[in-house]
Amino acid sequence: MFTLSNSAKKELEAFFSQKDRSYIRIFPGQGGCTGSKLALALDTPNDEDHTFQLEGYDFCIEKSLLNLIKDASIDLSYKGFIVEPIEDLPQKKSSCSSNGCQSCGGSCSH
């Protein structure tokens, strides 16, 4: 079951206060050095999507992604929306280069 925190709901209310509501897509975003993360964007659902309503907002997510994560919680932080899946996303291998290690604060063995 997907959940939406009160702070995330208030942020969506503020965002849509001056515009028509549209679908909000849950998708794999860029995770940088820590791997894949889920993100949100406005989008139109297609045949490959599962759609659902949560707290009065319409969401869509690819069925294949939904099968991987099962459920997620949507919250808000000082960096924006945080989408935490119940099941972890598969991690991509890091494309760590000699310059990339320092840019993300990670450590790499060469």
XYZ file of all heavy atoms in Angstrom:
842
model
N 0.839 -1.178 0.000
C 0.000 0.000 0.000
C 0.886 1.245 0.000
O 1.760 1.387 0.842
C -0.885 -0.024 1.238
C -1.811 1.122 1.320
S -2.961 0.847 2.682
C -2.823 2.405 3.491
N 0.679 2.118 -0.950
C 1.430 3.360 -1.018
C 0.911 4.313 0.044
O -0.282 4.329 0.349
C 1.270 3.995 -2.404
C 2.094 3.336 -3.463
C 1.680 2.158 -4.054
C 3.303 3.879 -3.857
C 2.433 1.537 -5.018
C 4.066 3.273 -4.824
C 3.635 2.095 -5.406
N 1.812 5.099 0.606
C 1.411 6.095 1.600
C 1.983 7.455 1.224
O 3.022 7.544 0.568
C 1.894 5.706 3.013
O 3.315 5.603 3.010
C 1.280 4.393 3.462
N 1.298 8.493 1.655
C 1.702 9.874 1.401
C 1.697 10.591 2.741
O 0.651 10.663 3.402
C 0.709 10.519 0.425
C 0.977 11.931 -0.047
C 2.243 11.988 -0.898
C -0.217 12.448 -0.866
N 2.852 11.110 3.157
C 2.929 11.801 4.441
C 2.159 13.121 4.385
O 1.883 13.659 3.305
C 4.387 12.064 4.822
O 4.918 13.095 4.009
N 1.824 13.653 5.545
C 1.122 14.942 5.606
C 1.945 16.060 4.990
O 1.402 16.921 4.295
C 0.763 15.281 7.050
C -0.398 14.452 7.565
O -1.224 13.969 6.788
N -0.463 14.267 8.862
N 3.255 16.063 5.225
C 4.099 17.126 4.661
C 4.166 17.025 3.137
O 4.144 18.040 2.441
C 5.494 17.113 5.284
O 6.113 15.868 5.096
N 4.231 15.810 2.597
C 4.238 15.640 1.142
C 2.898 16.062 0.547
O 2.847 16.698 -0.505
C 4.560 14.194 0.785
N 1.798 15.722 1.242
C 0.471 16.118 0.766
C 0.328 17.641 0.746
O -0.187 18.212 -0.218
C -0.602 15.489 1.651
C -2.002 15.771 1.170
C -3.039 15.098 2.035
C -4.430 15.471 1.549
N -5.470 14.866 2.378
N 0.821 18.310 1.775
C 0.755 19.775 1.814
C 1.559 20.394 0.679
O 1.148 21.390 0.083
C 1.248 20.300 3.161
C 0.266 20.054 4.281
C 0.798 20.557 5.603
C -0.173 20.212 6.724
N 0.324 20.630 8.034
N 2.700 19.794 0.361
C 3.526 20.303 -0.743
C 2.807 20.113 -2.081
O 2.831 21.001 -2.934
C 4.882 19.591 -0.762
C 5.853 20.141 -1.765
C 6.357 21.545 -1.446
O 6.223 22.003 -0.287
O 6.896 22.191 -2.364
N 2.145 18.974 -2.265
C 1.372 18.755 -3.490
C 0.198 19.726 -3.563
O -0.104 20.259 -4.642
C 0.874 17.311 -3.562
C 1.922 16.250 -3.852
C 1.312 14.856 -3.771
C 2.575 16.474 -5.206
N -0.463 19.969 -2.444
C -1.573 20.934 -2.419
C -1.093 22.316 -2.844
O -1.744 22.992 -3.636
C -2.195 20.999 -1.025
C -3.013 19.784 -0.661
C -3.430 19.746 0.809
O -3.063 20.663 1.589
O -4.124 18.788 1.183
N 0.050 22.731 -2.331
C 0.610 24.036 -2.702
C 0.977 24.062 -4.178
O 0.704 25.040 -4.884
C 1.827 24.347 -1.838
N 1.594 22.998 -4.677
C 2.014 22.940 -6.073
C 0.823 23.029 -7.015
O 0.857 23.752 -8.009
C 2.805 21.646 -6.337
C 3.249 21.501 -7.756
C 4.368 22.181 -8.213
C 2.548 20.693 -8.644
C 4.783 22.059 -9.537
C 2.954 20.570 -9.960
C 4.075 21.256 -10.403
N -0.253 22.286 -6.724
C -1.407 22.251 -7.611
C -2.442 23.333 -7.298
O -3.490 23.373 -7.928
C -2.074 20.869 -7.560
C -1.303 19.802 -8.287
C -0.750 18.741 -7.596
C -1.139 19.851 -9.665
C -0.041 17.749 -8.251
C -0.435 18.868 -10.343
C 0.117 17.814 -9.640
N -2.171 24.232 -6.370
C -3.156 25.255 -6.015
C -3.441 26.212 -7.165
O -4.541 26.749 -7.263
C -2.700 26.039 -4.783
O -1.552 26.813 -5.085
N -2.497 26.433 -8.038
C -2.653 27.378 -9.151
C -2.721 26.690 -10.519
O -2.683 27.366 -11.543
C -1.484 28.370 -9.149
C -1.356 29.183 -7.887
C -2.408 30.259 -7.792
O -2.786 30.864 -8.785
N -2.902 30.503 -6.578
N -2.771 25.349 -10.530
C -2.793 24.646 -11.820
C -3.642 23.392 -11.711
O -3.927 22.912 -10.616
C -1.378 24.307 -12.294
C -0.543 23.530 -11.300
C 0.884 23.322 -11.778
C 1.667 24.527 -11.633
N 2.809 24.749 -10.994
N -4.037 22.879 -12.875
C -4.826 21.650 -12.914
C -3.985 20.475 -12.436
O -2.784 20.395 -12.724
C -5.305 21.363 -14.343
C -6.350 22.365 -14.812
O -7.025 22.969 -13.958
O -6.473 22.533 -16.039
N -4.632 19.575 -11.735
C -3.943 18.364 -11.287
C -3.706 17.450 -12.480
O -4.553 17.321 -13.354
C -4.759 17.633 -10.239
C -4.780 18.360 -8.919
C -5.437 17.529 -7.861
N -5.479 18.270 -6.609
C -5.886 17.764 -5.475
N -6.298 16.511 -5.416
N -5.890 18.492 -4.387
N -2.566 16.812 -12.479
C -2.249 15.823 -13.498
C -1.659 14.603 -12.807
O -1.438 14.610 -11.598
C -1.262 16.402 -14.518
O -0.055 16.761 -13.883
N -1.410 13.557 -13.589
C -0.814 12.355 -13.012
C 0.611 12.635 -12.546
O 1.345 13.416 -13.167
C -0.796 11.216 -14.038
C -2.079 10.434 -14.062
C -3.114 10.803 -14.918
C -2.261 9.340 -13.229
C -4.304 10.089 -14.945
C -3.451 8.614 -13.248
C -4.458 8.999 -14.106
O -5.628 8.289 -14.123
N 0.962 11.979 -11.468
C 2.305 12.064 -10.916
C 2.939 10.690 -11.107
O 2.425 9.692 -10.609
C 2.275 12.431 -9.422
C 1.513 13.741 -9.221
C 3.689 12.494 -8.854
C 1.100 14.004 -7.786
N 4.029 10.666 -11.865
C 4.708 9.403 -12.149
C 5.756 9.105 -11.081
O 6.512 9.983 -10.676
C 5.381 9.431 -13.516
C 6.181 8.150 -13.817
C 6.677 8.081 -15.230
N 5.587 8.037 -16.186
C 4.868 6.951 -16.468
N 5.112 5.812 -15.830
N 3.905 7.005 -17.364
N 5.787 7.858 -10.641
C 6.854 7.346 -9.783
C 7.796 6.591 -10.706
O 7.362 5.686 -11.434
C 6.292 6.418 -8.694
C 5.303 7.188 -7.818
C 7.424 5.806 -7.869
C 4.527 6.320 -6.852
N 9.072 6.975 -10.717
C 10.018 6.369 -11.653
C 11.404 6.295 -11.036
O 11.693 6.998 -10.068
C 10.047 7.156 -12.964
C 10.678 8.517 -12.836
C 11.996 8.725 -13.218
C 9.959 9.593 -12.331
C 12.582 9.971 -13.091
C 10.539 10.844 -12.207
C 11.858 11.037 -12.587
N 12.282 5.453 -11.597
C 13.657 5.390 -11.095
C 14.406 6.655 -11.511
O 14.512 6.957 -12.694
C 14.263 4.161 -11.775
C 13.137 3.451 -12.423
C 12.024 4.430 -12.587
N 14.877 7.401 -10.535
C 15.640 8.616 -10.809
C 17.122 8.357 -10.667
O 17.567 7.228 -10.477
N 17.884 9.401 -10.749
C 19.332 9.306 -10.597
C 19.682 9.249 -9.127
O 19.256 10.081 -8.359
C 20.017 10.511 -11.242
C 19.792 10.603 -12.725
C 20.391 9.427 -13.465
O 21.460 8.936 -13.121
N 19.697 8.957 -14.479
N 20.473 8.272 -8.748
C 20.871 8.128 -7.357
C 22.305 8.506 -7.110
O 22.774 8.453 -5.992
N 23.039 8.891 -8.158
C 24.441 9.237 -7.980
C 25.241 8.042 -7.524
O 25.047 6.925 -7.993
N 26.111 8.246 -6.581
C 27.001 7.185 -6.108
C 26.285 6.148 -5.263
O 26.823 5.074 -5.031
C 28.141 7.788 -5.308
S 29.226 8.793 -6.327
N 25.106 6.449 -4.784
C 24.422 5.511 -3.899
C 23.499 4.559 -4.651
O 22.833 3.746 -4.034
C 23.606 6.271 -2.836
O 22.651 7.100 -3.501
C 24.507 7.108 -1.953
N 23.424 4.672 -5.966
C 22.581 3.770 -6.739
C 21.241 4.393 -7.079
O 21.052 5.593 -6.978
N 20.299 3.575 -7.514
C 18.998 4.050 -7.973
C 18.125 4.519 -6.824
O 18.120 3.936 -5.755
C 18.277 2.935 -8.722
O 19.001 2.560 -9.854
N 17.383 5.553 -7.080
C 16.380 6.085 -6.158
C 15.102 6.293 -6.951
O 15.128 6.402 -8.170
C 16.829 7.433 -5.573
C 18.114 7.383 -4.798
C 17.914 6.710 -3.479
C 19.211 6.734 -2.691
N 19.200 5.892 -1.540
N 13.995 6.366 -6.270
C 12.736 6.670 -6.940
C 12.491 8.167 -6.893
O 12.869 8.844 -5.936
C 11.582 5.934 -6.263
C 11.592 4.417 -6.398
C 10.443 3.806 -5.607
C 11.506 3.996 -7.849
N 11.844 8.669 -7.936
C 11.577 10.096 -8.046
C 10.133 10.292 -8.529
O 9.456 9.331 -8.905
C 12.561 10.734 -9.015
N 9.693 11.543 -8.532
C 8.356 11.915 -8.989
C 8.460 12.918 -10.122
O 9.367 13.760 -10.138
C 7.551 12.555 -7.856
C 7.317 11.737 -6.595
C 6.547 12.577 -5.571
C 6.571 10.460 -6.904
N 7.523 12.841 -11.064
C 7.435 13.814 -12.158
C 6.003 13.813 -12.675
O 5.285 12.809 -12.544
C 8.398 13.459 -13.279
N 5.595 14.903 -13.266
C 4.283 14.964 -13.894
C 4.367 14.226 -15.222
O 5.338 14.379 -15.965
C 3.857 16.413 -14.114
C 3.753 17.273 -12.859
C 3.319 18.687 -13.223
C 2.794 16.666 -11.849
N 3.351 13.424 -15.529
C 3.391 12.633 -16.751
C 1.996 12.118 -17.064
O 1.086 12.185 -16.234
C 4.355 11.462 -16.574
C 4.834 10.870 -17.895
O 4.490 11.401 -18.964
O 5.552 9.855 -17.846
N 1.845 11.574 -18.249
C 0.596 10.952 -18.673
C 0.783 9.440 -18.667
O 1.778 8.950 -19.214
C 0.231 11.422 -20.100
O 0.135 12.848 -20.088
C -1.081 10.834 -20.555
N -0.122 8.698 -18.046
C 0.032 7.243 -18.021
C -0.131 6.632 -19.409
O -0.774 7.211 -20.290
C -1.079 6.778 -17.085
C -2.031 7.894 -16.986
C -1.308 9.147 -17.335
N 0.458 5.438 -19.593
C 0.317 4.697 -20.838
C -0.111 3.266 -20.524
O -0.382 2.933 -19.379
C 1.620 4.751 -21.652
C 2.791 4.159 -20.904
O 2.721 3.021 -20.430
N 3.880 4.906 -20.776
N -0.156 2.422 -21.544
C -0.631 1.046 -21.376
C 0.261 0.207 -20.474
O -0.178 -0.819 -19.950
C -0.747 0.350 -22.738
C -1.860 0.950 -23.591
O -2.756 1.602 -23.029
O -1.811 0.770 -24.818
N 1.509 0.590 -20.300
C 2.450 -0.161 -19.470
C 2.364 0.231 -17.993
O 3.106 -0.288 -17.169
C 3.887 0.074 -19.958
C 4.126 -0.323 -21.394
C 3.900 -1.810 -21.631
O 4.337 -2.614 -20.782
O 3.263 -2.156 -22.635
N 1.456 1.152 -17.662
C 1.381 1.704 -16.314
C 0.225 1.151 -15.497
O -0.822 0.781 -16.026
C 1.217 3.227 -16.371
C 2.441 3.936 -16.872
O 3.557 3.432 -16.668
O 2.284 5.008 -17.489
N 0.463 1.145 -14.205
C -0.590 0.926 -13.215
C -0.920 2.316 -12.678
O -0.023 3.106 -12.368
C -0.075 0.035 -12.086
C -0.997 -0.048 -10.923
N -2.163 -0.772 -10.958
C -0.937 0.525 -9.698
C -2.783 -0.646 -9.794
N -2.060 0.126 -9.010
N -2.192 2.653 -12.599
C -2.599 3.955 -12.068
C -3.375 3.734 -10.766
O -4.028 2.710 -10.584
C -3.477 4.730 -13.066
O -4.648 3.978 -13.346
C -2.709 5.016 -14.363
N -3.256 4.706 -9.882
C -3.984 4.623 -8.612
C -4.141 6.027 -8.046
O -3.448 6.961 -8.444
C -3.262 3.711 -7.611
C -1.882 4.170 -7.225
C -1.673 4.886 -6.065
C -0.792 3.853 -8.028
C -0.399 5.300 -5.708
C 0.487 4.253 -7.675
C 0.684 4.979 -6.513
N -5.080 6.164 -7.128
C -5.309 7.438 -6.471
C -4.871 7.322 -5.015
O -5.103 6.301 -4.360
C -6.769 7.834 -6.558
C -6.983 9.300 -6.213
C -8.388 9.744 -6.533
O -9.309 9.393 -5.812
N -8.527 10.512 -7.593
N -4.213 8.367 -4.541
C -3.714 8.392 -3.174
C -3.949 9.789 -2.610
O -3.456 10.775 -3.166
C -2.223 8.047 -3.178
C -1.482 7.997 -1.857
C -2.072 6.924 -0.953
C -0.007 7.714 -2.101
N -4.757 9.854 -1.552
C -5.047 11.138 -0.890
C -5.550 12.194 -1.878
O -5.239 13.380 -1.761
C -3.799 11.662 -0.181
C -3.253 10.754 0.890
C -4.085 10.762 2.159
O -4.809 11.714 2.405
O -3.979 9.766 2.904
N -6.323 11.764 -2.883
C -6.899 12.686 -3.848
C -5.993 13.026 -5.024
O -6.365 13.842 -5.865
N -4.844 12.404 -5.127
C -3.899 12.645 -6.228
C -3.774 11.385 -7.061
O -3.808 10.273 -6.537
C -2.523 13.070 -5.685
C -2.605 14.407 -5.000
C -2.813 14.486 -3.630
C -2.521 15.578 -5.723
C -2.928 15.705 -2.995
C -2.636 16.813 -5.095
C -2.841 16.871 -3.731
O -2.971 18.079 -3.109
N -3.645 11.576 -8.380
C -3.518 10.458 -9.305
C -2.041 10.170 -9.558
O -1.268 11.079 -9.912
C -4.202 10.781 -10.636
C -5.710 10.912 -10.473
O -6.297 10.064 -9.773
O -6.283 11.857 -11.039
N -1.673 8.915 -9.393
C -0.296 8.477 -9.594
C -0.254 7.411 -10.675
O -1.240 6.704 -10.909
C 0.280 7.889 -8.300
C 0.571 8.907 -7.245
C -0.433 9.354 -6.395
C 1.851 9.427 -7.092
C -0.164 10.304 -5.419
C 2.121 10.369 -6.120
C 1.115 10.811 -5.286
N 0.906 7.278 -11.323
C 1.131 6.191 -12.260
C 2.546 5.664 -12.053
O 3.441 6.392 -11.615
C 0.909 6.617 -13.706
S 1.968 7.939 -14.329
N 2.705 4.380 -12.344
C 3.990 3.717 -12.193
C 4.010 2.557 -13.183
O 2.979 1.905 -13.395
C 4.209 3.228 -10.738
C 5.581 2.587 -10.570
C 3.096 2.312 -10.287
C 5.940 2.283 -9.115
N 5.153 2.322 -13.815
C 5.256 1.182 -14.724
C 4.961 -0.101 -13.956
O 5.443 -0.285 -12.837
C 6.647 1.096 -15.337
C 6.891 2.109 -16.417
C 8.236 1.903 -17.097
O 8.894 0.848 -16.891
O 8.630 2.801 -17.841
N 4.185 -0.979 -14.565
C 3.811 -2.233 -13.909
C 5.044 -3.046 -13.521
O 5.067 -3.653 -12.447
C 2.892 -3.047 -14.820
C 1.534 -2.400 -15.022
C 0.712 -3.151 -16.055
C -0.567 -2.386 -16.374
N -1.312 -2.995 -17.487
N 6.066 -3.048 -14.383
C 7.284 -3.816 -14.075
C 7.997 -3.253 -12.853
O 8.526 -4.005 -12.031
C 8.219 -3.845 -15.274
O 8.588 -2.531 -15.649
N 7.999 -1.929 -12.695
C 8.607 -1.309 -11.515
C 7.780 -1.614 -10.267
O 8.326 -1.926 -9.208
C 8.751 0.202 -11.712
C 9.333 0.986 -10.550
C 10.727 0.474 -10.179
C 9.379 2.469 -10.884
N 6.472 -1.555 -10.403
C 5.595 -1.866 -9.278
C 5.826 -3.300 -8.795
O 5.857 -3.553 -7.589
C 4.131 -1.661 -9.662
C 3.095 -1.965 -8.594
C 3.308 -1.097 -7.353
C 1.695 -1.774 -9.146
N 6.039 -4.227 -9.718
C 6.313 -5.616 -9.342
C 7.614 -5.742 -8.558
O 7.744 -6.616 -7.711
C 6.362 -6.519 -10.565
C 4.982 -6.751 -11.157
O 3.980 -6.659 -10.471
N 4.944 -7.039 -12.441
N 8.573 -4.858 -8.826
C 9.847 -4.882 -8.106
C 9.735 -4.305 -6.700
O 10.279 -4.856 -5.754
C 10.913 -4.071 -8.866
C 11.519 -4.699 -10.096
C 12.447 -3.691 -10.773
C 12.290 -5.956 -9.743
N 9.040 -3.172 -6.566
C 9.048 -2.457 -5.287
C 7.853 -2.779 -4.395
O 7.897 -2.515 -3.200
C 9.137 -0.932 -5.484
C 7.874 -0.385 -6.154
C 10.398 -0.566 -6.242
C 7.751 1.108 -6.083
N 6.778 -3.286 -4.963
C 5.530 -3.622 -4.256
C 4.771 -2.382 -3.772
O 3.685 -2.123 -4.227
C 5.771 -4.558 -3.073
C 6.609 -5.767 -3.385
C 5.942 -6.700 -4.341
C 6.777 -7.953 -4.524
N 6.907 -8.353 -5.899
N 5.331 -1.616 -2.859
C 4.707 -0.426 -2.278
C 5.798 0.601 -2.010
O 6.985 0.281 -2.046
C 4.031 -0.748 -0.940
C 2.877 -1.719 -1.088
O 2.120 -1.577 -2.057
O 2.733 -2.606 -0.236
N 5.374 1.813 -1.666
C 6.351 2.848 -1.320
C 5.690 3.903 -0.448
O 4.468 4.066 -0.452
C 6.922 3.501 -2.578
N 6.522 4.606 0.297
C 6.049 5.756 1.061
C 6.625 7.013 0.419
O 7.778 7.030 -0.015
C 6.469 5.646 2.525
O 7.874 5.641 2.628
N 5.799 8.043 0.343
C 6.209 9.317 -0.249
C 6.229 10.350 0.870
O 5.228 10.553 1.553
C 5.252 9.744 -1.378
C 5.189 8.642 -2.454
C 5.686 11.075 -1.980
C 4.074 8.830 -3.459
N 7.380 10.977 1.041
C 7.565 11.946 2.114
C 8.260 13.168 1.533
O 8.556 13.230 0.346
C 8.391 11.316 3.245
C 8.170 12.003 4.589
O 7.488 13.049 4.649
O 8.713 11.504 5.586
N 8.544 14.128 2.392
C 9.187 15.365 1.975
C 10.363 15.640 2.890
O 10.277 15.434 4.106
C 8.173 16.513 2.053
C 8.577 17.844 1.447
C 8.705 17.740 -0.068
C 7.561 18.912 1.805
N 11.469 16.091 2.311
C 12.629 16.512 3.093
C 13.063 17.879 2.592
O 12.462 18.421 1.664
C 13.776 15.505 2.957
O 14.443 15.673 1.723
N 14.119 18.407 3.159
C 14.620 19.704 2.709
C 15.142 19.630 1.270
O 15.269 20.642 0.599
C 15.696 20.233 3.662
C 16.988 19.456 3.619
C 18.044 19.874 2.820
C 17.158 18.301 4.369
C 19.225 19.159 2.770
C 18.335 17.587 4.331
C 19.365 18.026 3.532
O 20.533 17.311 3.485
N 15.397 18.423 0.763
C 15.871 18.238 -0.611
C 14.728 17.999 -1.593
O 14.951 17.882 -2.777
C 16.839 17.053 -0.683
C 18.148 17.297 0.003
C 19.050 16.096 -0.192
C 20.396 16.322 0.440
N 21.299 15.180 0.199
N 13.504 17.875 -1.108
C 12.367 17.604 -1.977
C 11.678 16.317 -1.586
O 11.808 15.836 -0.459
N 10.956 15.738 -2.539
C 10.228 14.509 -2.261
C 11.180 13.330 -2.116
O 12.178 13.230 -2.824
C 9.227 14.210 -3.381
C 8.054 15.142 -3.380
C 7.985 16.190 -4.280
C 7.014 14.977 -2.478
C 6.916 17.065 -4.279
C 5.930 15.837 -2.467
C 5.883 16.887 -3.369
N 10.830 12.438 -1.198
C 11.569 11.201 -0.989
C 10.579 10.062 -1.218
O 9.521 10.030 -0.585
C 12.115 11.103 0.449
C 13.058 12.247 0.753
C 12.780 9.759 0.673
C 13.441 12.315 2.218
N 10.912 9.153 -2.109
C 10.068 7.998 -2.377
C 10.849 6.770 -1.940
O 11.858 6.415 -2.538
C 9.682 7.908 -3.869
C 8.718 6.764 -4.097
C 9.078 9.224 -4.353
N 10.384 6.159 -0.859
C 11.061 4.997 -0.275
C 10.280 3.733 -0.600
O 9.167 3.551 -0.111
C 11.167 5.141 1.251
C 12.103 6.227 1.698
C 13.567 5.887 1.470
O 13.916 4.679 1.390
O 14.355 6.822 1.366
N 10.847 2.853 -1.425
C 10.140 1.609 -1.751
C 10.182 0.625 -0.588
O 11.102 0.645 0.229
C 10.922 1.068 -2.945
C 12.305 1.611 -2.767
C 12.130 2.959 -2.118
N 9.180 -0.232 -0.527
C 9.156 -1.292 0.475
C 10.252 -2.310 0.149
O 10.981 -2.754 1.013
C 7.764 -1.971 0.516
C 6.673 -0.951 0.855
C 7.762 -3.149 1.485
C 6.848 -0.197 2.149
N 10.359 -2.689 -1.121
C 11.424 -3.578 -1.591
C 12.491 -2.714 -2.241
O 12.179 -1.854 -3.053
C 10.883 -4.582 -2.624
C 9.813 -5.502 -2.099
C 10.346 -6.554 -1.147
O 11.530 -6.930 -1.271
O 9.575 -7.002 -0.283
N 13.757 -2.937 -1.900
C 14.846 -2.140 -2.456
C 14.950 -2.321 -3.962
O 14.733 -3.417 -4.492
C 16.186 -2.537 -1.820
C 16.271 -2.108 -0.368
O 15.573 -1.145 0.015
O 17.029 -2.740 0.379
N 15.311 -1.241 -4.633
C 15.582 -1.307 -6.060
C 16.910 -2.014 -6.290
O 17.829 -1.872 -5.478
C 15.683 0.108 -6.644
C 14.395 0.870 -6.825
C 14.694 2.309 -7.211
C 13.547 0.230 -7.895
N 17.031 -2.742 -7.384
C 18.339 -3.315 -7.705
C 19.349 -2.190 -7.887
O 19.039 -1.168 -8.501
C 18.100 -4.054 -9.023
C 16.622 -4.179 -9.155
C 16.016 -3.073 -8.354
N 20.527 -2.355 -7.334
C 21.550 -1.318 -7.414
C 22.358 -1.470 -8.696
O 22.742 -2.568 -9.064
C 22.486 -1.392 -6.207
C 21.790 -1.120 -4.896
C 21.199 0.274 -4.817
O 21.856 1.266 -5.094
N 19.924 0.351 -4.456
N 22.588 -0.342 -9.349
C 23.437 -0.336 -10.530
C 24.885 -0.317 -10.079
O 25.210 0.234 -9.036
C 23.153 0.907 -11.385
C 21.763 0.922 -11.971
C 21.574 2.149 -12.810
C 20.177 2.189 -13.402
N 19.936 3.386 -14.176
N 25.743 -0.898 -10.897
C 27.163 -0.836 -10.579
C 27.631 0.597 -10.712
O 27.231 1.310 -11.621
C 27.966 -1.736 -11.524
C 27.760 -3.189 -11.240
C 28.733 -4.013 -12.023
C 28.566 -5.465 -11.632
N 29.574 -6.306 -12.248
N 28.487 1.013 -9.825
C 29.005 2.366 -9.838
C 29.921 2.565 -11.025
O 30.705 1.693 -11.381
C 29.779 2.632 -8.545
O 30.391 3.890 -8.612
N 29.819 3.712 -11.649
C 30.733 4.056 -12.732
C 31.805 4.960 -12.148
O 31.984 6.085 -12.555
C 29.982 4.744 -13.872
O 29.341 5.901 -13.376
N 32.492 4.440 -11.181
C 33.460 5.210 -10.421
C 34.738 5.401 -11.225
O 35.329 4.458 -11.694
C 33.749 4.456 -9.119
S 34.592 5.443 -7.922
N 35.115 6.629 -11.374
C 36.380 6.941 -12.034
C 37.249 7.680 -11.040
O 36.814 8.027 -9.959
C 36.134 7.813 -13.269
O 35.649 9.079 -12.866
N 38.456 7.942 -11.401
C 39.354 8.621 -10.467
C 38.820 9.996 -10.085
O 39.020 10.459 -8.983
C 40.759 8.733 -11.065
O 40.706 9.468 -12.279
N 38.104 10.651 -10.981
C 37.524 11.952 -10.657
C 36.177 11.811 -9.964
O 35.808 12.625 -9.146
C 37.330 12.781 -11.935
C 38.651 13.158 -12.569
O 39.662 13.233 -11.879
N 38.641 13.340 -13.860
N 35.430 10.754 -10.304
C 34.086 10.591 -9.783
C 34.041 10.306 -8.296
O 33.086 10.649 -7.621
N 35.071 9.661 -7.758
C 35.056 9.301 -6.335
C 35.004 10.532 -5.461
O 34.272 10.564 -4.485
C 36.306 8.504 -5.983
S 36.420 6.972 -6.880
N 35.770 11.515 -5.794
C 35.826 12.700 -4.965
C 34.575 13.546 -5.120
O 34.140 14.192 -4.182
C 37.069 13.515 -5.280
C 38.333 12.764 -4.914
C 39.572 13.467 -5.405
O 39.510 14.323 -6.267
N 40.707 13.089 -4.860
N 33.970 13.517 -6.304
C 32.816 14.389 -6.525
C 31.613 13.955 -5.706
O 30.760 14.762 -5.395
C 32.464 14.437 -8.015
O 32.023 13.163 -8.439
N 31.511 12.658 -5.358
C 30.345 12.223 -4.583
C 30.711 11.914 -3.138
O 29.860 11.520 -2.364
C 29.693 11.000 -5.236
S 30.704 9.529 -5.176
N 31.950 12.060 -2.789
C 32.354 11.820 -1.410
C 32.542 10.361 -1.088
O 32.784 10.000 0.050
N 32.429 9.494 -2.071
C 32.588 8.061 -1.846
C 34.052 7.660 -1.886
O 34.934 8.449 -2.169
N 34.291 6.423 -1.566
C 35.648 5.918 -1.678
C 35.663 4.800 -2.694
O 34.728 4.023 -2.786
C 36.144 5.415 -0.316
O 35.348 4.349 0.112
N 36.693 4.734 -3.466
C 36.806 3.727 -4.518
C 38.142 3.037 -4.405
O 39.155 3.665 -4.095
C 36.710 4.366 -5.894
S 35.171 5.240 -6.193
N 38.155 1.756 -4.670
C 39.426 1.047 -4.730
C 39.754 0.812 -6.190
O 38.880 0.451 -6.963
C 39.349 -0.266 -3.962
O 38.316 -1.062 -4.495
N 40.950 1.037 -6.569
C 41.346 0.896 -7.979
C 42.301 -0.249 -8.149
O 43.096 -0.587 -7.372
C 42.030 2.171 -8.479
C 41.084 3.334 -8.484
N 40.124 3.516 -9.442
C 40.926 4.351 -7.608
C 39.451 4.622 -9.179
N 39.920 5.127 -8.070
